[in-house]
Amino acid sequence: MKGVEFLVALLLLALASKLASASDPSPLQDFCVAVNDTKDGVFVNGKLCKDPKLAVPEDFFLAGLNIPGNTSNQVGSMVTQANVQQIPGLNTLGISLVRIDYAPNGGLNPPHTHPRATEVLVLVEGTLYVGFVTSNPENRLFTKVLYPGDVFVFPVGLIHFQFNIGNANAVAFAALSSQNPGVITIANAVFGSDPAINPDVLAKAFQLDENIVKQLQSRFWWDNS
Amino acid sequence: MKGVEFLVALLLLALASKLASASDPSPLQDFCVAVNDTKDGVFVNGKLCKDPKLAVPEDFFLAGLNIPGNTSNQVGSMVTQANVQQIPGLNTLGISLVRIDYAPNGGLNPPHTHPRATEVLVLVEGTLYVGFVTSNPENRLFTKVLYPGDVFVFPVGLIHFQFNIGNANAVAFAALSSQNPGVITIANAVFGSDPAINPDVLAKAFQLDENIVKQLQSRFWWDNS
Amino acid sequence: MKGVEFLVALLLLALASKLASASDPSPLQDFCVAVNDTKDGVFVNGKLCKDPKLAVPEDFFLAGLNIPGNTSNQVGSMVTQANVQQIPGLNTLGISLVRIDYAPNGGLNPPHTHPRATEVLVLVEGTLYVGFVTSNPENRLFTKVLYPGDVFVFPVGLIHFQFNIGNANAVAFAALSSQNPGVITIANAVFGSDPAINPDVLAKAFQLDENIVKQLQSRFWWDNS
Amino acid sequence: MKGVEFLVALLLLALASKLASASDPSPLQDFCVAVNDTKDGVFVNGKLCKDPKLAVPEDFFLAGLNIPGNTSNQVGSMVTQANVQQIPGLNTLGISLVRIDYAPNGGLNPPHTHPRATEVLVLVEGTLYVGFVTSNPENRLFTKVLYPGDVFVFPVGLIHFQFNIGNANAVAFAALSSQNPGVITIANAVFGSDPAINPDVLAKAFQLDENIVKQLQSRFWWDNS
Amino acid sequence: MKGVEFLVALLLLALASKLASASDPSPLQDFCVAVNDTKDGVFVNGKLCKDPKLAVPEDFFLAGLNIPGNTSNQVGSMVTQANVQQIPGLNTLGISLVRIDYAPNGGLNPPHTHPRATEVLVLVEGTLYVGFVTSNPENRLFTKVLYPGDVFVFPVGLIHFQFNIGNANAVAFAALSSQNPGVITIANAVFGSDPAINPDVLAKAFQLDENIVKQLQSRFWWDNS
Amino acid sequence: MKGVEFLVALLLLALASKLASASDPSPLQDFCVAVNDTKDGVFVNGKLCKDPKLAVPEDFFLAGLNIPGNTSNQVGSMVTQANVQQIPGLNTLGISLVRIDYAPNGGLNPPHTHPRATEVLVLVEGTLYVGFVTSNPENRLFTKVLYPGDVFVFPVGLIHFQFNIGNANAVAFAALSSQNPGVITIANAVFGSDPAINPDVLAKAFQLDENIVKQLQSRFWWDNS
């Protein structure tokens, strides 16, 4: 009997904690601090939130964006996130930040899109070659070389990248117009999907030999964020 | 002198007609029929619109979605559009249609995203292998083989494709949740941008030899829409 | 005692399943698949959703839009739905589809509004007389006769209809700019409401004899969707 | 020659003033006062607006909602508007007001919808029977008898009405969640459209004899707003 | 044992009722009636809602806006609310009402902002001096003296006030473009926050002697809404 | 005569360029680069935009956020803006940046609100005491002392401030969830409006002697942005 009651209590607690994590596009109250625990399978669009009376300053706070990200990886870059996953108070508020570190001589934040956000980047150290490509049919490339203090905009949904062309570390902060902007690294999504896309599709789409496609699909695709 | 004045009058008319073609996300009147002439450089978010008193049924009408698209091209598919460019009455209304034709045995609508729309496709003829890939870090592939009468959803901003695995033509209609959804064909935007992206960026991002990247960049990339 | 615990367990399960079904206007993650079970009284705007890790391709899929709807009814038409009720993956994505079948010689999709959607229809078989009426004070009627391949737009909230003026079946697909567009069949809502509207109101509003109003209120009003 | 130049200058000024009257769903500045002159055919979604530096308090002001509307008409009611047409400062701000007067013993604001607004009504004098009907398939009628000081909500897009069941004048103020909510009086749009809807459509939809439909279509339909 | 089970049942009921109270910006169904009980800590953006089948006319109803508010207080005014807290049916619908009473000779609705709403006010009795101030750098004051029947607009987010300059009571109704507009009374938020803002901040910001700041911070700040 | 024609041409160009600068909440194309010239009185919600074919990388670029702002002023702080006024490519994209410099020992960004944006700040140098106050009736103060690398969120519409409590310069970057967020410095808008608010209003609202109010109103109120 006690076992059953214990189970019930556990279920209730699980349920209560799950429920405490949901939200949406425009705030409908001063704030709606996310409860960042969704492990039991109850979700809404965005996140459930905690009782506003229990909100504390720490819900709106994150430390650590002064710490350089580790760029010793395949692409030579690291994105440190400050979105609703790290700062529950961002829930419903439509904005977030990242710090991006780039290794010297070729550190690359590879071509990617944010399906739900525009990005505005300010370079604080180093030299970056940055760019974005417009949609069909023009596919125009807009590029710029950035120096410290320079700002550049990457419009929502467009493919963009940043590349360290200097011989020192580069560091940038970037703002994104969503508390949960999402990232789709193009190469990873196309060649590193789980499971793999039918190689015939990729061979035809990318005008590549099917063996090269299969090689690419067998590689490791680093996610820098 | 008269010539100059005539020019001025023409410019004014051009300006007036252009101005009569602009819009935005949610309609603020019954409709706002686009004036589809922006060649003189006046633009708003969406399209300027014509006097509602001058709207006619033809503004809400398009013929021709019964005509098969020509699939004799590099990817073996053709997308026939019915968005605000073709139907000015769609301006501000947040929806559009396409017809997609696929050649037998491999006609491909190659991996692409719609930066401003979710797509719902209904297959009317043939057999398609379709799929989409979720964002980082999972990059999960969701696929399905579709038969006539089957419907599939491609969520906004995610990379997706359709591939004719049957030995007959395939035909689908698809609805998109924007009057101007945009299309970014991944291979075209990455390897066919104008001008070309620095090959170092693509070689590192796609784990390809730089010579292969340069070859790809010199190819012709067909835009099927 | 066991009875109480059993009840508690049932309640918990009911609660848990209900919670798994809620959403909202713009997606705040890749997708938010609805859990389509709200029978126990817990609701949000839209639908609660399931754990994204548990999402499967079938959540984005529906079969059967190739099957003609049964038009042997009072109005001679049938609307087959493909919205968030049938395709849980449409939750939060702002779009849906329908197939509409019309009996020969007068099959009618009677005057109705969608309170939350614009509709774009493509005719695939038959001949339809279609139209919509603008708001006060003009109440202009926009009509068109459609043939296969023709597309027509019905702006959000306006009263519209389709009428089969051919002597064969007609079939159309239509896209709607909401995952839950709603339908208000005018005659049904006005004369077939539950309970009935005070007949004095309808007699005065429609300039009808009160006996005719009462007769109309006693009729059966077929809902074709 | 001077005449032509004068005309050009006039056209330019006309164009400039027209352009100064456009808008959209959410304000993107403190305000965007409409220039309510669209007679030359230039329109955007909402209204173009004037230079904010030229805005004056009168742009945000309207007098006269203390004056009873004339209810000596077919339906015995009058709606006095205070929306963006009367108050240009409401442009982009998503709200408006009306005063509604009802004649004693049956003054009726007949069944209608607002395609772009929810309505909240407060009764200040008299006694009203009010109601709205939900969408298909339930078409449930929600009604209430209101006395002074009572408030009632009519959700966006649903058919609703107010009926004076007292033997004195009734007066209400109502707020609408759009600066341009639109009104569709059901009977007017259905039986009084311009031109008339094919009577076969209405006879079948409303289960009325076609002669009655034709009679109704020949009547005068009063627009009380 | 019974105690524990009773507790579990209570918890379940509490949880169920809490869950029945959440919402969001645009309605995704006919309505989403708030369950106004959030005392157990489960929240979403807006409010959870009850089963639409259980909705009743009273959910859309409030009595009492005919009753004068008590203006015997520090500022001489009282705001009587009719928003989603009082009318659960307003949930998701983006609009609300207030009645405002002003004592004769100086009754003041002190400078405040609504972080989530534009306000449109109609004066029904008395004489008010009203105004709003635009944002930096101009901080222009727009004012008007209102008489019965006059309407004035206070754009979203701007500081505004109403002041009774007549020698009789004044009464107004105001519409707000949110079901939960929020109020920030400037003096209360600045000098009456809990806990107090560091007086150095306020002394410097308001160019006041620090002793005056401390005096102000020790006062009682009446909230008239 | 030529002079008149030249004028006409100039007017046309002016008009064309003005028109080329307008926008709105969600982008309806890849981008809509503002033309930042509205001196002739033509405005829309947001900005008109230029022909997308004429867009250049510089439209998405701004230099200079590495340059410290001059904090030798009344409040000891300076906000350097990077919004749609400085970066026309931000038009329609819903995001912007600022750099904020604070003088040592009391540099203050005084209490203010952004009527159209949430702010996320990252401190890069120095030590700040920061806070925001919730809306009525609680007016709770949320504060935190920030060190380099710390991030803090200020929810949309709430009054907030930052205060340098260190003995060195402080520097922060902040992201705002609008391309035109607006700033309302509370003291400036209340005591420094143009023209002045009736001092009776402010004396009563702020519980200040009317002479102090008049003194405050005669002061100079520095706008640090």
Side-chain angles (χ1 to χ4, degrees):
Chain A
M1 199 87 84
K2 277 182 175 169
V4 169
E5 284 162 14
F6 187 69
L7 208 73
V8 166
L10 273 184
L11 268 166
L12 275 167
L13 285 174
L15 195 55
S17 64
K18 280 174 311 170
L19 287 170
S21 74
S23 104
D24 105 5
S26 296
L28 293 169
Q29 52 289 307
D30 285 358
F31 46 70
C32 177
V33 176
V35 179
N36 216 355
D37 173 0
T38 52
K39 65 177 172 295
D40 301 284
V42 179
F43 296 84
V44 296
N45 194 17
K47 301 267 183 191
L48 285 162
C49 40
K50 69 198 271 192
D51 186 340
K53 292 191 184 103
L54 305 180
V56 292
E58 286 67 28
D59 291 327
F60 302 91
F61 173 78
L62 180 73
L65 284 209
N66 56 327
I67 303 171
N70 181 354
T71 60
S72 302
N73 57 52
Q74 202 170 346
V75 291
S77 70
M78 175 57 78
V79 179
T80 306
Q81 314 261 8
N83 62 37
V84 71
Q85 301 300 330
Q86 291 82 33
I87 309 179
L90 282 174
N91 196 26
T92 78
L93 296 177
I95 197 164
S96 58
L97 285 182
V98 293
R99 173 194 169 120
I100 317 177
D101 291 271
Y102 309 83
N105 302 310
L108 174 67
N109 192 5
H112 63 283
T113 68
H114 302 292
R116 293 177 294 279
T118 287
E119 179 175 345
V120 189
L121 179 148
V122 56
L123 185 61
V124 293
E125 272 182 53
T127 313
L128 291 180
Y129 160 75
V130 305
F132 66 82
V133 181
T134 68
S135 66
N136 297 359
E138 289 87 3
N139 298 134
R140 293 169 63 207
L141 175 68
F142 283 68
T143 58
K144 196 83 187 167
V145 173
L146 303 186
Y147 301 97
D150 288 356
V151 176
F152 203 75
V153 177
F154 306 101
V156 58
L158 302 190
I159 297 177
H160 61 286
F161 60 87
Q162 300 107 31
F163 188 53
N164 186 349
I165 56 172
N167 54 16
N169 287 318
V171 183
F173 290 104
L176 294 131
S177 62
S178 167
Q179 71 264 21
N180 182 24
V183 181
I184 300 173
T185 302
I186 298 301
N188 299 20
V190 168
F191 295 106
S193 73
D194 175 22
I197 295 174
N198 179 334
D200 293 346
V201 166
L202 299 183
K204 189 164 204 169
F206 286 85
Q207 304 194 43
L208 283 169
D209 184 274
E210 200 164 320
N211 286 327
I212 295 182
V213 168
K214 285 179 181 168
Q215 271 180 32
L216 290 175
Q217 290 187 318
S218 68
R219 297 252 173 85
F220 173 71
W221 296 92
W222 173 259
D223 174 19
N224 73 340
S225 58
Chain B
M1 200 85 86
K2 276 182 177 170
V4 169
E5 282 161 16
F6 188 58
L7 208 74
V8 166
L10 272 184
L11 268 167
L12 275 168
L13 286 174
L15 195 55
S17 65
K18 280 172 311 168
L19 286 170
S21 74
S23 101
D24 107 3
S26 297
L28 293 168
Q29 53 288 308
D30 286 358
F31 46 70
C32 177
V33 176
V35 179
N36 217 355
D37 173 0
T38 53
K39 64 177 174 293
D40 299 285
V42 179
F43 297 84
V44 297
N45 194 17
K47 302 268 183 189
L48 286 161
C49 39
K50 69 199 271 192
D51 186 340
K53 292 191 184 103
L54 304 181
V56 290
E58 286 67 28
D59 290 328
F60 301 91
F61 174 78
L62 179 73
L65 284 209
N66 55 327
I67 303 171
N70 180 354
T71 60
S72 301
N73 57 51
Q74 201 170 345
V75 291
S77 71
M78 175 58 78
V79 179
T80 307
Q81 314 261 8
N83 62 38
V84 71
Q85 301 301 329
Q86 292 79 34
I87 309 180
L90 282 174
N91 195 26
T92 78
L93 296 178
I95 196 162
S96 59
L97 285 183
V98 292
R99 173 194 169 118
I100 318 177
D101 290 272
Y102 309 83
N105 303 309
L108 174 68
N109 191 6
H112 63 283
T113 67
H114 302 293
R116 292 177 295 278
T118 287
E119 178 176 345
V120 189
L121 179 148
V122 55
L123 184 60
V124 292
E125 273 182 51
T127 313
L128 292 179
Y129 161 76
V130 306
F132 66 81
V133 182
T134 69
S135 65
N136 297 359
E138 289 87 3
N139 298 133
R140 291 169 63 207
L141 175 68
F142 284 67
T143 59
K144 196 82 186 165
V145 173
L146 303 186
Y147 302 97
D150 287 356
V151 176
F152 203 75
V153 177
F154 306 101
V156 58
L158 302 190
I159 297 177
H160 61 287
F161 61 86
Q162 300 108 30
F163 188 52
N164 187 350
I165 57 172
N167 52 16
N169 287 319
V171 183
F173 290 105
L176 294 132
S177 61
S178 168
Q179 71 264 22
N180 182 25
V183 181
I184 300 172
T185 301
I186 298 303
N188 299 20
V190 169
F191 295 106
S193 73
D194 174 23
I197 295 174
N198 179 335
D200 292 346
V201 167
L202 299 184
K204 189 164 203 168
F206 285 85
Q207 305 193 43
L208 283 168
D209 185 273
E210 200 163 322
N211 287 326
I212 295 182
V213 167
K214 286 178 181 168
Q215 269 180 32
L216 290 175
Q217 290 185 319
S218 67
R219 297 252 174 87
F220 173 71
W221 296 90
W222 173 259
D223 175 17
N224 72 340
S225 58
Chain C
M1 199 84 84
K2 276 182 177 170
V4 170
E5 282 160 17
F6 188 58
L7 208 74
V8 166
L10 272 184
L11 268 166
L12 274 168
L13 285 174
L15 196 54
S17 65
K18 281 173 311 171
L19 286 169
S21 75
S23 102
D24 110 0
S26 296
L28 294 168
Q29 52 291 307
D30 285 358
F31 46 70
C32 178
V33 176
V35 178
N36 217 355
D37 173 359
T38 53
K39 65 177 175 294
D40 300 285
V42 178
F43 296 84
V44 296
N45 193 17
K47 303 267 183 189
L48 286 161
C49 40
K50 69 198 271 192
D51 185 340
K53 292 192 184 103
L54 304 181
V56 291
E58 285 68 29
D59 290 329
F60 301 91
F61 173 78
L62 180 73
L65 283 209
N66 56 325
I67 303 171
N70 180 354
T71 61
S72 302
N73 57 51
Q74 203 170 341
V75 292
S77 71
M78 175 58 77
V79 179
T80 306
Q81 314 260 8
N83 62 38
V84 72
Q85 301 300 329
Q86 291 81 32
I87 309 180
L90 282 175
N91 196 27
T92 78
L93 296 178
I95 197 163
S96 59
L97 285 183
V98 293
R99 173 194 170 119
I100 319 177
D101 290 273
Y102 309 83
N105 303 309
L108 175 67
N109 191 6
H112 63 282
T113 66
H114 302 292
R116 292 178 294 280
T118 288
E119 179 176 345
V120 188
L121 179 147
V122 56
L123 185 61
V124 292
E125 273 182 51
T127 314
L128 292 179
Y129 160 76
V130 306
F132 66 81
V133 182
T134 69
S135 66
N136 297 359
E138 289 88 3
N139 298 132
R140 292 168 64 207
L141 175 68
F142 284 67
T143 58
K144 196 83 187 165
V145 174
L146 303 186
Y147 301 97
D150 288 357
V151 175
F152 203 76
V153 176
F154 305 102
V156 59
L158 302 190
I159 298 177
H160 61 287
F161 61 86
Q162 300 108 31
F163 189 52
N164 186 351
I165 56 172
N167 53 15
N169 287 319
V171 183
F173 290 104
L176 294 132
S177 62
S178 167
Q179 71 264 22
N180 182 25
V183 181
I184 300 173
T185 303
I186 299 302
N188 299 20
V190 169
F191 294 106
S193 73
D194 174 24
I197 295 174
N198 179 336
D200 293 347
V201 167
L202 299 184
K204 189 163 204 167
F206 285 86
Q207 304 195 45
L208 283 169
D209 185 273
E210 199 163 324
N211 286 326
I212 294 182
V213 167
K214 285 178 181 168
Q215 269 181 31
L216 290 175
Q217 290 185 318
S218 68
R219 297 254 173 86
F220 173 72
W221 297 91
W222 173 260
D223 175 19
N224 72 339
S225 58
Chain D
M1 201 86 84
K2 277 181 175 171
V4 171
E5 283 161 14
F6 188 58
L7 208 74
V8 166
L10 273 185
L11 268 166
L12 275 168
L13 285 174
L15 195 56
S17 66
K18 281 174 311 169
L19 286 170
S21 75
S23 103
D24 107 2
S26 296
L28 293 169
Q29 52 290 309
D30 285 359
F31 45 70
C32 177
V33 176
V35 179
N36 217 353
D37 173 0
T38 53
K39 65 177 174 292
D40 300 285
V42 178
F43 295 84
V44 296
N45 193 18
K47 302 267 183 190
L48 285 161
C49 41
K50 70 199 271 191
D51 185 340
K53 292 191 184 102
L54 304 181
V56 290
E58 287 66 29
D59 290 328
F60 301 91
F61 173 77
L62 180 73
L65 282 209
N66 55 327
I67 303 171
N70 181 353
T71 61
S72 302
N73 58 51
Q74 203 170 342
V75 292
S77 70
M78 176 57 78
V79 179
T80 307
Q81 314 261 8
N83 61 37
V84 71
Q85 300 301 329
Q86 292 81 33
I87 309 179
L90 282 174
N91 195 28
T92 77
L93 296 178
I95 196 163
S96 58
L97 285 183
V98 293
R99 173 194 170 119
I100 319 177
D101 290 272
Y102 309 83
N105 303 308
L108 174 67
N109 192 7
H112 63 282
T113 66
H114 302 292
R116 292 178 295 278
T118 287
E119 178 176 345
V120 188
L121 179 147
V122 55
L123 185 61
V124 294
E125 272 182 53
T127 313
L128 292 180
Y129 161 75
V130 306
F132 67 81
V133 182
T134 68
S135 65
N136 297 359
E138 289 86 2
N139 297 131
R140 293 168 62 206
L141 176 67
F142 284 68
T143 59
K144 196 83 187 165
V145 173
L146 303 186
Y147 302 97
D150 287 357
V151 176
F152 203 75
V153 177
F154 306 101
V156 58
L158 302 190
I159 297 177
H160 60 287
F161 61 86
Q162 300 106 31
F163 189 52
N164 186 351
I165 57 172
N167 53 16
N169 287 319
V171 183
F173 290 104
L176 293 131
S177 61
S178 168
Q179 70 264 23
N180 182 26
V183 181
I184 300 172
T185 302
I186 299 301
N188 299 21
V190 169
F191 294 106
S193 73
D194 175 23
I197 295 174
N198 179 335
D200 293 346
V201 166
L202 299 183
K204 189 163 204 168
F206 285 86
Q207 304 195 43
L208 283 169
D209 185 273
E210 199 163 323
N211 286 326
I212 295 183
V213 167
K214 286 178 181 167
Q215 270 181 30
L216 291 175
Q217 290 186 318
S218 68
R219 297 253 174 86
F220 173 72
W221 296 91
W222 174 259
D223 175 18
N224 72 339
S225 58
Chain E
M1 201 86 82
K2 276 182 178 170
V4 170
E5 283 161 13
F6 186 69
L7 208 73
V8 167
L10 272 183
L11 268 167
L12 274 168
L13 285 173
L15 195 55
S17 64
K18 279 172 313 170
L19 286 170
S21 76
S23 104
D24 106 3
S26 296
L28 294 169
Q29 52 290 308
D30 285 358
F31 45 70
C32 177
V33 176
V35 179
N36 217 355
D37 173 0
T38 53
K39 66 177 174 292
D40 300 285
V42 178
F43 296 84
V44 295
N45 193 16
K47 301 268 183 190
L48 284 161
C49 40
K50 68 198 272 193
D51 185 340
K53 293 193 182 101
L54 304 180
V56 291
E58 286 68 28
D59 290 328
F60 301 91
F61 174 78
L62 180 73
L65 283 209
N66 56 326
I67 303 170
N70 181 354
T71 60
S72 302
N73 57 51
Q74 202 170 343
V75 291
S77 71
M78 175 58 77
V79 179
T80 307
Q81 313 261 8
N83 61 38
V84 70
Q85 300 300 330
Q86 292 80 33
I87 309 180
L90 282 174
N91 196 26
T92 78
L93 296 178
I95 197 163
S96 58
L97 285 182
V98 293
R99 173 193 169 119
I100 318 177
D101 290 272
Y102 309 83
N105 302 310
L108 175 67
N109 192 7
H112 63 282
T113 66
H114 302 292
R116 292 176 295 279
T118 287
E119 179 176 344
V120 189
L121 179 147
V122 55
L123 185 61
V124 293
E125 272 183 52
T127 312
L128 292 180
Y129 160 76
V130 306
F132 66 82
V133 181
T134 68
S135 65
N136 297 359
E138 289 87 2
N139 297 133
R140 292 168 61 207
L141 175 67
F142 284 68
T143 58
K144 195 83 187 164
V145 174
L146 303 186
Y147 302 97
D150 288 356
V151 176
F152 203 76
V153 177
F154 306 102
V156 58
L158 302 190
I159 297 177
H160 61 286
F161 61 86
Q162 301 106 32
F163 188 52
N164 187 351
I165 57 172
N167 54 15
N169 287 319
V171 183
F173 289 105
L176 294 131
S177 61
S178 167
Q179 71 263 23
N180 182 26
V183 181
I184 299 173
T185 302
I186 298 302
N188 300 20
V190 168
F191 294 105
S193 73
D194 174 23
I197 294 174
N198 179 335
D200 293 346
V201 166
L202 299 183
K204 190 163 203 169
F206 285 85
Q207 305 194 43
L208 283 168
D209 185 274
E210 198 162 325
N211 287 327
I212 295 182
V213 168
K214 286 179 180 167
Q215 269 180 32
L216 291 175
Q217 290 187 318
S218 68
R219 296 254 173 86
F220 173 73
W221 296 92
W222 173 260
D223 174 18
N224 72 339
S225 58
Chain F
M1 201 83 85
K2 276 182 179 170
V4 170
E5 282 161 16
F6 188 59
L7 209 73
V8 167
L10 272 184
L11 268 166
L12 274 168
L13 285 174
L15 195 54
S17 65
K18 281 173 311 170
L19 287 170
S21 77
S23 103
D24 106 5
S26 295
L28 293 169
Q29 52 289 308
D30 285 358
F31 46 70
C32 177
V33 176
V35 178
N36 217 355
D37 172 1
T38 53
K39 65 177 172 295
D40 299 285
V42 179
F43 296 85
V44 296
N45 194 17
K47 300 269 184 189
L48 285 161
C49 39
K50 69 197 272 193
D51 186 341
K53 292 191 184 102
L54 304 181
V56 291
E58 286 67 29
D59 290 327
F60 300 91
F61 173 79
L62 180 73
L65 282 210
N66 56 325
I67 303 170
N70 180 353
T71 60
S72 301
N73 57 52
Q74 203 170 343
V75 292
S77 70
M78 175 57 77
V79 179
T80 306
Q81 313 261 8
N83 62 37
V84 71
Q85 300 302 329
Q86 292 80 34
I87 309 180
L90 281 174
N91 196 26
T92 79
L93 296 178
I95 197 163
S96 58
L97 285 182
V98 292
R99 173 192 169 120
I100 318 177
D101 290 272
Y102 309 83
N105 303 308
L108 174 67
N109 191 7
H112 63 283
T113 66
H114 302 292
R116 293 178 294 280
T118 287
E119 178 176 344
V120 189
L121 179 148
V122 55
L123 185 60
V124 292
E125 273 183 51
T127 313
L128 292 180
Y129 160 75
V130 306
F132 67 82
V133 181
T134 69
S135 65
N136 298 358
E138 289 87 3
N139 298 132
R140 293 169 62 207
L141 176 67
F142 283 68
T143 58
K144 196 83 187 166
V145 172
L146 303 186
Y147 301 96
D150 288 355
V151 176
F152 203 75
V153 177
F154 306 101
V156 58
L158 302 190
I159 297 176
H160 61 286
F161 60 87
Q162 300 107 32
F163 189 53
N164 186 351
I165 57 173
N167 53 16
N169 288 318
V171 183
F173 290 104
L176 294 131
S177 61
S178 167
Q179 70 263 23
N180 182 25
V183 181
I184 300 172
T185 302
I186 298 303
N188 299 21
V190 169
F191 295 105
S193 73
D194 173 24
I197 295 174
N198 179 334
D200 293 346
V201 167
L202 299 184
K204 190 164 204 167
F206 285 86
Q207 304 195 44
L208 283 169
D209 185 273
E210 200 162 323
N211 287 326
I212 295 182
V213 167
K214 286 177 180 168
Q215 270 179 31
L216 290 174
Q217 290 186 318
S218 67
R219 297 252 173 86
F220 172 71
W221 296 91
W222 173 260
D223 175 19
N224 72 340
S225 58

